[in-house]
Every structure is written in structure tokens, then in C-alpha cells.
Amino acid sequence: MKKILMIAMVSLFGGKLMAQKNTILVYGQAGFENQKDFNDDKTTSFTLSPGIGYQFNDHITAGIQLNVAGTKFNDATVNIPNSKTSVLGVGPFVRYTKNLSDVFFIFGQLEGSYIYGKQKLGNTTISKANGVSGNIFPAVGINVYKGFALNFNVGGISYVTTKLDGSDNRQNNFKTSFGDQVNFGISKNF
């Protein structure tokens, strides 16, 4: 039975679909979260992170990535509907990939971004900020069909420094998120 299952998996996932020299990698991941607490405060968050890069060899890919995130919340205690925060980031990435088999691979990715964000209460913008961020994470990939792969990671290490418009003070945030989150994505080699 195990042999039949292995043959079926190899047939389904196909031949060698790894990162290849002189190809283009397009990837993206998306996230969504919806919460409601005991005070009926509701929070809805989303993230979208696409990227495109050039694969210099079977291991090294470099390119540019975009991060878009937003949070919408309704605070029942102050009764201000449709309050939201939004963040946009753009910057370079470098990825090192190691093939484990024709189907599985692992990679580490280092990203840097310039970020801009704002917070609105109702229809009024109350703050704007900009800064830089860095993120490094390990991931596992599964080649599924003709250059398409599914990517999974369970967090990483990040550093963000931001400054509110009109202020000289900076906010610095160092975070490790291993085990706190799970990210799923898809990629395609051209």
C-alpha cells in the first residue's frame, strides 16, 4: 500500500520542478483574521504579500516584494465604527533555496522594506507614520505541478522602526514569531 501511495504522489507531483537558473520566480501569500472579544469589539485584518525575483542559480533568488496590510475595528466602548489602520511596504528580498527531493525544498528569505502607514478613526486620519522593516524566515515548499509550488512557514524574526509624522521619536519593534503564526503561499517558476 505504501508503494502505491508513493507512486501516486510522484505521478501527481511530476518531475523535477525546482528553482532553475535564469528563471523568474513569482510568489505571493495572503492572510485573513477576524476576531470578536467579550466586549463585542470586532477586529478584521488582512495581509497580501506578492513578490517577483530573478533566479541567478539553483539556490539564489533576488527581487522585489510588496506588503499590504490593513485592520478594521469597531470599538464598542467608544462607539466609533469603521476605524482602520493600513500599511504599505515595498523593498528587496533575497532567497536561498535547498532542494530536498524532486517534490520538497526548503528556503530562507531575507526581506527589507520601506513602510508607510496611517490610522483613521471613523473618517478622520489621526496619524501617519513611515519607517523601515526587515524580516527573515525559514520555509518549506512542495512542488505540485509544472513549476507551481505551495510554501509554508511558521514565523520568523522581524525588526520594524517607524516615526510618526510631526514627531522626532521613533518606535522600534523586534519580534520573533516562531510558532505564533502560520503562513501559506504559492509560487511559480517561469
Side-chain angles (χ1 to χ4, degrees), residues 25 27 51-54 56 61-65 91-95 110 112:
L25 171 73
Y27 73 90
I52 185 167
Y54 182 77
F56 294 97
T61 305
I64 190 164
Q65 46 91 27
F93 77 88
V94 176
R95 177 184 285 194
L110 173 65

Side-chain angles (χ1 to χ4, degrees), residues 16-70:
K16 192 168 177 108
L17 302 170
M18 308 302 175
Q20 296 177 10
K21 184 177 178 180
N22 300 324
T23 61
I24 302 294
L25 171 73
V26 177
Y27 73 90
Q29 47 183 36
F32 179 79
E33 181 179 7
N34 195 7
Q35 295 180 357
K36 184 176 180 181
D37 67 12
F38 296 114
N39 296 324
D40 287 333
D41 295 338
K42 297 176 186 175
T43 304
T44 304
S45 302
F46 78 92
T47 59
L48 180 63
S49 302
I52 185 167
Y54 182 77
Q55 297 184 186
F56 294 97
N57 58 41
D58 290 344
H59 302 289
I60 304 293
T61 305
I64 190 164
Q65 46 91 27
L66 176 71
N67 294 305
V68 179

Side-chain angles (χ1 to χ4, degrees), residues 74-103:
N74 291 319
D75 190 333
T77 56
V78 293
N79 198 20
I80 300 175
N82 299 324
S83 300
K84 41 183 123 168
T85 60
S86 57
V87 177
L88 176 65
V90 64
F93 77 88
V94 176
R95 177 184 285 194
Y96 180 83
T97 303
K98 177 71 175 158
N99 300 325
L100 300 177
S101 70
D102 285 348
V103 177

Side-chain angles (χ1 to χ4, degrees), residues 86-179:
S86 57
V87 177
L88 176 65
V90 64
F93 77 88
V94 176
R95 177 184 285 194
Y96 180 83
T97 303
K98 177 71 175 158
N99 300 325
L100 300 177
S101 70
D102 285 348
V103 177
F104 296 100
F105 60 95
I106 58 173
F107 65 90
Q109 185 160 312
L110 173 65
E111 304 171 339
S113 293
Y114 168 77
I115 54 175
Y116 172 79
K118 64 182 175 180
Q119 182 176 13
K120 293 176 85 174
L121 291 178
N123 292 324
T124 306
T125 300
I126 61 166
S127 66
K128 295 180 183 179
N130 59 43
V132 293
S133 70
N135 185 29
I136 187 167
F137 61 90
V140 175
I142 302 170
N143 289 305
V144 289
Y145 184 74
K146 292 189 179 181
F148 281 99
L150 298 176
N151 304 304
F152 307 92
N153 78 59
V154 290
I157 300 171
S158 64
Y159 177 76
V160 179
T161 180
T162 56
K163 185 180 105 166
L164 286 173
D165 284 358
S167 172
D168 291 333
N169 296 330
R170 289 199 161 275
Q171 179 178 347
N172 300 306
N173 184 12
F174 177 80
K175 179 180 179 183
T176 58
S177 59
F178 294 105

